[in-house]
Amino acid sequence: MSAPIVLYDIPGNRPGYKCWSPNTWKVRFALNYKGLPLKSEWVEYPDIEAVYRKLGIETTDKNRHGNPLYTLPIIYDPSTQSAISDSMRIAKYLDETYPDTPRLFPAGTLALHETFQSAWYRVQPSLWAIVACSVCSWLNERSQIFYRTTREANTGKKLEEIRGEKEWKDAEEAFDKLNSWLSANGEGKDELVMGEGVCYADLQIVSGLMWAKTTLAEDDWKRICGWHNGKWERIVNYFSKYAVIDL
Amino acid sequence: MSAPIVLYDIPGNRPGYKCWSPNTWKVRFALNYKGLPLKSEWVEYPDIEAVYRKLGIETTDKNRHGNPLYTLPIIYDPSTQSAISDSMRIAKYLDETYPDTPRLFPAGTLALHETFQSAWYRVQPSLWAIVACSVCSWLNERSQIFYRTTREANTGKKLEEIRGEKEWKDAEEAFDKLNSWLSANGEGKDELVMGEGVCYADLQIVSGLMWAKTTLAEDDWKRICGWHNGKWERIVNYFSKYAVIDL
């Protein structure tokens, strides 16, 4: 077996839920689903930029002022001595580099996955409004300060003021949309995007759900579990076998 | 060979371009791609509701006031004595009813297609702003009055005032997005959504393009052909073999 792939991730401090970020969850699920061993490196928000410098890679993300935005996940694969950022780029790299592992992008679906991501990125912000304040509460102090400062500057609101009943309604409507896409597969096949067998789009959905499950107060998570006949909790349960963390 | 499937369509009067609607084009391409014979029935806008009544079907579309919206395409299939509206429902019906013809929804892609449609419906309105006034100019008189009245009431603008340089810029940006999805397939495979072989999402794209090609002034269509290294014209050319109309 090859040396473990290093996954750079942001630690949460809620007991049992050290991994919480939807972006790093995608890669964690991808590696576990493929059966590729991984080793987590935990990085606080203010230290992410230094990881890019250490590994000699650039970020392609920019904030709304056009400045570089340093985000995780990054992986470092000792077998190929490659460092890669961005969860979709990492997933494509894993499909290409480890062709004998289960594929995340079945043949012919790359553009459809790109489109799914674009559509998913219209769902995710409504979920962010639900989790933002809880996320911050479970970060270590330096990350907490970083998160609060940057997010409050972006939104012009205190984190505590972001979520109200309107945001809950918006999030449920966004999940209505997601549910209507999944339902096109027909009954009994409406929990995985491609009906049977996991693909990258499923990792986007379940990682968004893990963001909620790992950070929200129990009652708030139960509220989401009550939508669409329990579908979202069933999806989380289905993926629990791939949710292992190397704590 | 079974009796031709009747396709209800809205006639344009530009020489050589009787079919112009992006919605009916999808079904025309679908039938021609599958090699299923079709017979067009041409219906002016104010007469569409009567077709629904004659065939005994309901519309599921509503306008923004919640009133039923009667749209084409509809097909009537004499082999099964079924009448079906909505281009995606028709395409699914054709895949199910004629399983020996080339599939429009490859196995596992129904939810991804639903997502693609949702994403495409964020591109299409920007194209509507480009073509709306030209579309109207090529309709027969009764449809022209209907189209102008309903569309000007919806937008609060004269059709002649809808398109300006801002709308051209918006449309090009929307096509940038579409182009970025297709480009995920990699060079040489970036003109069909699934890289090789036609799927329903391709019919959405080419039908949107046919809407432009069949109604716009030559110079305006050439402007679109100039985007993204000629990709959109190449897609139209690729599908020209399926663009047959039974005039």
Side-chain angles (χ1 to χ4, degrees):
Chain A
M1 190 51 107
S2 53
I5 290 173
V6 181
L7 169 57
Y8 292 87
D9 198 350
I10 305 156
N13 61 25
R14 188 178 193 175
Y17 291 140
K18 192 165 184 176
C19 182
W20 61 273
S21 152
N23 296 313
T24 61
W25 262 122
K26 277 178 272 182
V27 175
R28 197 172 289 281
F29 278 121
L31 289 164
N32 288 335
Y33 174 65
K34 286 174 170 289
L36 295 167
L38 76 94
K39 184 181 167 303
S40 304
E41 284 274 352
W42 301 99
V43 184
E44 298 296 337
Y45 269 108
D47 304 327
I48 296 175
E49 184 175 347
V51 177
Y52 276 80
R53 294 191 196 286
K54 184 180 88 176
L55 295 172
I57 57 173
E58 305 281 342
T59 179
T60 51
D61 279 351
K62 291 199 188 314
N63 70 14
R64 59 192 179 129
H65 304 298
N67 298 321
L69 198 61
Y70 295 96
T71 59
L72 294 185
I74 295 174
I75 62 162
Y76 177 75
D77 184 349
S79 309
T80 60
Q81 299 184 1
S82 311
I84 304 129
S85 63
D86 182 279
S87 48
M88 198 189 248
R89 281 183 59 224
I90 293 170
K92 288 178 184 174
Y93 164 85
L94 296 174
D95 264 10
E96 284 161 18
T97 311
Y98 300 98
D100 296 338
T101 61
R103 288 183 76 126
L104 292 168
F105 301 97
T109 68
L110 281 168
L112 287 170
H113 267 94
E114 202 70 43
T115 312
F116 184 91
Q117 171 159 283
S118 177
W120 168 255
Y121 282 161
R122 304 194 69 85
V123 172
Q124 188 164 295
S126 71
L127 192 54
W128 183 79
I130 302 301
V131 302
C133 192
S134 307
V135 162
C136 193
S137 72
W138 297 114
L139 294 174
N140 293 320
E141 194 182 351
R142 289 177 64 233
S143 284
Q144 212 172 96
I145 293 165
F146 183 97
Y147 188 94
R148 181 178 287 279
T149 310
T150 52
R151 275 54 174 178
E152 292 187 348
N154 276 345
T155 59
K157 283 185 184 173
K158 295 279 291 174
L159 287 179
E160 287 75 7
E161 291 163 2
I162 287 172
R163 188 177 82 193
E165 273 310 305
K166 182 189 171 301
E167 284 67 32
W168 274 109
K169 193 165 163 286
D170 289 350
E172 189 170 356
E173 281 175 10
F175 274 76
D176 281 345
K177 195 100 186 162
L178 179 60
N179 184 50
S180 76
W181 302 335
L182 290 169
S183 298
N185 288 333
E187 216 175 323
K189 292 186 168 185
D190 58 349
E191 291 174 11
L192 292 177
V193 173
M194 296 193 69
E196 295 166 61
V198 169
C199 69
Y200 182 73
D202 293 307
L203 303 191
Q204 292 185 304
I205 296 171
V206 70
S207 297
L209 295 168
M210 290 299 283
W211 195 22
K213 181 186 163 79
T214 58
T215 63
L216 287 179
E218 183 71 9
D219 280 356
D220 291 329
W221 169 241
K222 282 290 161 217
R223 187 162 172 174
I224 293 173
C225 297
W227 295 344
H228 308 102
N229 197 26
K231 176 177 286 188
W232 314 112
E233 189 171 27
R234 284 196 300 281
I235 291 173
V236 165
N237 291 343
Y238 176 85
F239 280 92
S240 62
K241 55 185 172 292
Y242 307 119
V244 186
I245 307 183
D246 62 329
L247 288 175
Chain B
M1 192 48 108
S2 54
I5 291 173
V6 181
L7 169 57
Y8 292 87
D9 197 350
I10 304 157
N13 61 25
R14 188 179 193 176
Y17 291 140
K18 191 164 186 176
C19 182
W20 60 273
S21 153
N23 296 314
T24 61
W25 262 120
K26 279 179 269 182
V27 175
R28 196 173 289 281
F29 278 121
L31 290 164
N32 287 336
Y33 174 65
K34 284 174 171 289
L36 295 166
L38 76 93
K39 184 181 167 303
S40 305
E41 284 272 353
W42 300 99
V43 184
E44 298 297 337
Y45 269 107
D47 303 328
I48 296 175
E49 183 174 347
V51 176
Y52 276 80
R53 295 193 196 286
K54 183 180 88 175
L55 295 172
I57 57 173
E58 305 281 341
T59 179
T60 51
D61 280 350
K62 290 199 190 313
N63 69 14
R64 59 191 179 131
H65 305 297
N67 298 321
L69 199 61
Y70 296 96
T71 59
L72 294 185
I74 295 174
I75 62 161
Y76 177 75
D77 183 350
S79 308
T80 61
Q81 299 184 2
S82 311
I84 304 128
S85 64
D86 182 279
S87 48
M88 198 189 246
R89 282 183 58 225
I90 293 170
K92 288 179 182 172
Y93 165 85
L94 295 174
D95 264 9
E96 286 161 17
T97 311
Y98 300 97
D100 297 337
T101 62
R103 287 183 77 125
L104 292 168
F105 301 97
T109 67
L110 281 169
L112 287 171
H113 267 94
E114 202 70 42
T115 312
F116 184 91
Q117 172 159 283
S118 178
W120 168 255
Y121 283 161
R122 304 194 68 84
V123 172
Q124 189 164 293
S126 72
L127 192 54
W128 184 79
I130 302 300
V131 302
C133 192
S134 307
V135 162
C136 192
S137 72
W138 297 114
L139 294 173
N140 294 320
E141 194 182 352
R142 288 177 64 233
S143 285
Q144 211 171 99
I145 294 166
F146 184 96
Y147 188 94
R148 180 176 289 276
T149 310
T150 52
R151 274 54 173 179
E152 292 187 348
N154 276 345
T155 59
K157 283 185 184 173
K158 295 280 290 176
L159 288 180
E160 287 74 8
E161 291 162 3
I162 287 171
R163 188 176 84 192
E165 272 310 305
K166 182 188 171 301
E167 284 67 32
W168 275 109
K169 192 165 162 287
D170 289 350
E172 189 169 356
E173 279 175 13
F175 274 77
D176 281 344
K177 196 101 183 161
L178 179 60
N179 184 51
S180 76
W181 302 335
L182 290 170
S183 298
N185 287 332
E187 216 175 321
K189 291 186 169 187
D190 59 349
E191 291 174 10
L192 293 178
V193 173
M194 297 193 69
E196 296 167 61
V198 169
C199 69
Y200 182 72
D202 294 307
L203 304 192
Q204 292 186 303
I205 296 171
V206 69
S207 297
L209 295 169
M210 289 299 283
W211 195 22
K213 181 187 163 80
T214 58
T215 62
L216 287 179
E218 183 73 8
D219 280 356
D220 291 329
W221 169 241
K222 282 289 160 215
R223 187 162 174 175
I224 293 173
C225 297
W227 295 344
H228 307 103
N229 197 26
K231 178 178 283 187
W232 314 111
E233 189 171 26
R234 283 195 301 280
I235 292 174
V236 164
N237 290 343
Y238 177 85
F239 280 93
S240 62
K241 56 185 171 291
Y242 306 119
V244 186
I245 308 180
D246 61 328
L247 290 177

